[in-house]
């Protein structure tokens, strides 16, 4: 063996020091993780407090563009909610507002030959109480402001336009993913 007893003792001290630093760093990481978790829970609690305190907005901007419905928020306060709907796309769009758990849960057209393509939302099959209202076809660049009275629950906003293409095919805005979900508190 090479090295003196002093070298081996120095190596032992370095090992102990390294272990001590590693333990300290591990404890610091645990503390940071615990604080992040705590702040995450506080943020969730703050959202609930804001909703309960009526501080959620009663106005909502909604941009419509090719195959997207982009609300400025996904939660609003119940009561009269003013929607400012702007078509930022290049073709006509509409915004239909219905009470529903999700876009997938809405009734769909199942037979060809009607006004809508198979797979579109069957607006006539919606329960009347769930059909809240709409902003009709809006030209590109135009903005429409309309208010709806909303009770707490989940709502779906979507465009159900079928666009006839030059080649005879149809592009369904809804089936292209032009919908979003809102929660009313």
């Amino acid at each position: 063996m090479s090295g003196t007893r002093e070298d081996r003792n120095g190596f032992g001290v370095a090992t102990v020091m390294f272990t001590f630093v590693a333990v300290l760093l591990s404890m610091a990481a645990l503390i940071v993780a615990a604080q992040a978790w705590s702040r995450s829970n506080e943020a969730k609690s703050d959202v609930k407090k804001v909703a309960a305190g009526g501080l959620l907005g009663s106005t909502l901007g909604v941009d419509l563009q090719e195959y997207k419905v982009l609300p400025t928020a996904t939660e609003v306060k119940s009561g009269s909610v003013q929607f400012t709907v702007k078509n930022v796309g290049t073709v006509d769009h509409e915004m239909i507002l219905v009470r529903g758990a999700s876009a997938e849960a809405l009734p769909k057209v199942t037979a060809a030959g009607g006004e809508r393509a198979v797979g579109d939302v069957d607006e006539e099959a919606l329960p009347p109480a769930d059909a809240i209202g709409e902003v009709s076809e809006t030209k590109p660049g135009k903005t429409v402001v309309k208010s709806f009275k909303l009770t707490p629950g989940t709502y779906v906003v979507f465009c159900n336009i079928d666009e006839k293409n030059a080649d005879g095919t149809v592009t369904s805005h809804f089936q292209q993913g032009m919908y979003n979900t809102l929660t009313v508190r």
Side-chain angles (χ1 to χ4, degrees), residues 63-70 86-94 138-141 159 161 163 165 171-179:
D63 284 350
L64 305 175
Q65 68 184 49
E66 280 66 45
Y67 320 129
K68 293 182 184 175
V69 175
L70 303 168
K86 183 172 184 181
N87 183 348
V88 297
T90 60
V91 298
D92 289 1
H93 292 296
E94 66 183 353
T138 305
K139 299 283 183 207
C159 179
I161 289 179
E163 191 177 330
N165 302 312
T171 300
S172 164
H173 292 201
F174 175 80
Q175 292 182 56
Q176 292 293 317
M178 197 165 177
Y179 52 82

Side-chain angles (χ1 to χ4, degrees), residues 155-185:
Y155 293 79
V156 180
V157 289
F158 62 95
C159 179
N160 210 27
I161 289 179
D162 286 332
E163 191 177 330
K164 311 254 185 293
N165 302 312
D167 64 0
T169 60
V170 174
T171 300
S172 164
H173 292 201
F174 175 80
Q175 292 182 56
Q176 292 293 317
M178 197 165 177
Y179 52 82
N180 215 318
T181 305
L182 301 174
T183 302
V184 178
R185 302 266 181 213

Side-chain angles (χ1 to χ4, degrees), residues 133-153:
E134 70 179 85
V135 172
S136 298
E137 291 187 27
T138 305
K139 299 283 183 207
K142 298 295 180 185
T143 300
V144 177
V145 177
K146 195 167 185 178
S147 292
F148 301 99
K149 184 157 178 69
L150 304 179
T151 58

Side-chain angles (χ1 to χ4, degrees), residues 2 8 12 21 30 39 41 52-53 60 65 73 114 121 126 132 153 174 183:
S2 65
R8 286 191 298 256
V21 170
L30 284 173
R39 288 190 180 139
N41 284 342
L60 184 67
Q65 68 184 49
V121 175
L126 288 166
I132 306 305
F174 175 80
T183 302

Side-chain angles (χ1 to χ4, degrees), residues 24-42:
L24 282 178
L25 289 175
S26 297
M27 288 175 56
L30 284 173
I31 290 169
V32 169
Q35 287 179 336
W37 180 80
S38 174
R39 288 190 180 139
S40 170
N41 284 342
E42 287 172 11

